Amino acid sequence: MNSRAEAAGMRRPVRHAAVWAAGAAALALVGCGGGGGDGPGTGPDVGYTIAGQLSGLAAGQRVVLQNNGGDDLSVAANGRFAFGTTVSATRPYAVTVKTQPTGQRCTVSQGSGNATGPVENVAVRCENVAAGTYTVGGTVSGLSGAGLVLQNNGWDSLAVGSNGGFTFGSTMAGGATYDVTVRSQPAGQSCSVRNGRGTVGTAPVNNVEVTCGNTLDLPVGDWKVELCTQVRPGQWGRNLWRVTRQADNRVTAQMGAALYSSSTCSGTPTIPPPLTDVGTIVFDRNASTPALTAFWGLWTQPSGQSTRVVWGRKNGRLCLMADQTPSVFPTAASVESYVDLVIPNRLCYTLE
């Protein structure tokens, strides 16, 4: 490893490896012969209304529903509701709760299927939760397969089968901390969590974002190391890698620092320019476990020196490791075993 690689934040905690510290959208189609909505016909361009009944919503409260991960519908009274956008004949629909009302939890039954006619039997039922407790949830996007299981604080598991809102079954007291992770990845996809950790306040948590993509989706963006260290009196910082997608299998990377006035590195950071170019990574293989996606590739530094690397992405964290030929980590399971050792040391990166 040359001095430039050391400057790029690489560490060597084991013999061979180093951690780099650092929908279907509903279609508003016009039915055949000018018909639409609930009109007659069975052709593929017929649009059917998705509707149902809301019950149990407390006075003065409001719940936001979604269909197929979009078409938001804010409902403030019990009774019939109907989405504004119709669904094409035989196409799927999936009604979820995007935003929970304060002091209540609403659940959906009979909320998914294929639209073979106007749908009127979706049932949304709201119930009160214990005083001073609140739900934790958010939205899922990009999901196309089965098998996604989310988890809060390592024990409250939730299977998610469609895009749109989700809410964990257990409520949490104000002041309690939550930590949403992916327990099981869906078939053929990799999902990551944003805004997944925090402290419950005095309202439901609705802003957790779970984004899914195919296993070739590369981890681009501003990744900041979890470890917060003091830079100078009154200033703290986290190493930063800015990863930019260039092609389906190639990224460029720059390194810098995210600076904070808080000793916990919270709040909006300052990222002073210029960032340092650390080269190009071309990935030639990827594989997944139920919770992790691994990317193997060749890192070419600006000096022209090249070395093998492996990146492991798990539960919203990205762990950057040096590799060799043949690989020190030949399988996704071996990558995950090492990542699980590294994560507690806060040497992996997050997008938050």
Side-chain angles (χ1 to χ4, degrees):
M1 189 71 62
N2 65 10
S3 59
R4 185 177 184 89
E6 295 291 346
M10 300 187 69
R11 305 186 180 203
R12 197 176 294 276
V14 294
R15 180 181 57 170
H16 296 294
V19 175
W20 298 355
L27 303 177
L29 298 176
V30 178
C32 299
D38 297 342
T42 58
D45 292 335
V46 173
Y48 290 123
T49 300
I50 307 300
Q53 293 287 326
L54 172 66
S55 63
L57 184 67
Q61 293 296 326
R62 184 179 299 271
V63 60
V64 179
L65 306 177
Q66 284 190 323
N67 182 31
N68 288 332
D71 195 16
D72 289 13
L73 177 64
S74 180
V75 186
N78 294 310
R80 184 181 185 273
F81 64 85
F83 287 92
T85 303
T86 57
V87 172
S88 185
T90 73
R91 299 299 298 168
Y93 62 92
V95 178
T96 57
V97 176
K98 178 183 180 182
T99 304
Q100 295 282 359
T102 300
Q104 293 194 293
R105 176 174 52 217
C106 302
T107 56
V108 180
S109 59
Q110 302 173 165
S112 61
N114 292 319
T116 57
V119 176
E120 291 283 347
N121 66 337
V122 178
V124 180
R125 181 177 182 274
C126 302
E127 59 183 358
N128 296 333
V129 299
T133 66
Y134 306 93
T135 57
V136 174
T139 57
V140 173
S141 62
L143 180 64
S144 62
L148 173 61
V149 179
L150 304 178
Q151 197 168 62
N152 183 24
N153 286 336
W155 61 272
D156 189 7
S157 296
L158 175 68
V160 180
S162 63
N163 291 312
F166 69 88
T167 304
F168 284 96
S170 298
T171 57
M172 302 188 68
T177 58
Y178 59 91
D179 185 4
V180 179
T181 58
V182 177
R183 177 184 176 184
S184 178
Q185 296 284 2
Q189 289 194 292
S190 176
C191 302
S192 60
V193 179
R194 186 174 177 84
N195 302 326
R197 287 173 287 166
T199 302
V200 177
T202 57
V205 176
N206 294 309
N207 67 334
V208 180
E209 300 176 8
V210 180
T211 304
C212 303
N214 63 50
T215 54
L216 294 178
D217 282 350
L218 301 178
V220 299
D222 283 0
W223 293 88
K224 305 175 189 70
V225 73
E226 290 193 277
L227 184 65
C228 178
T229 57
Q230 188 167 20
V231 178
R232 57 179 63 91
Q235 189 175 68
W236 291 261
R238 300 164 66 187
N239 288 347
L240 175 143
W241 275 63
R242 176 168 291 171
V243 182
T244 304
R245 182 188 181 100
Q246 298 295 323
D248 287 346
N249 67 333
R250 185 176 74 252
V251 300
T252 58
Q254 296 173 294
M255 193 187 73
L259 302 179
Y260 303 81
S261 59
S262 164
S263 61
T264 59
C265 289
S266 58
T268 303
T270 298
I271 302 175
L275 299 180
T276 301
D277 178 19
V278 294
T280 300
I281 302 95
V282 177
F283 297 101
D284 47 44
R285 183 165 69 95
N286 66 86
S288 298
T289 69
L292 172 138
T293 300
F295 304 86
W296 289 264
L298 183 68
W299 174 30
T300 302
Q301 302 170 44
S303 65
Q305 181 175 351
S306 296
T307 184
R308 295 291 300 177
V309 295
V310 58
W311 292 10
R313 186 172 182 174
K314 182 176 184 179
N315 292 339
R317 296 178 175 88
L318 179 65
C319 301
L320 313 179
M321 297 167 284
D323 202 5
Q324 295 182 359
T325 303
S327 176
V328 178
F329 307 100
T331 65
S334 63
V335 174
E336 185 172 25
S337 294
Y338 186 70
V339 163
D340 287 344
L341 295 176
V342 174
I343 285 177
N345 296 324
R346 302 182 65 81
L347 296 179
C348 295
Y349 292 69
T350 71
L351 286 173
E352 298 180 10

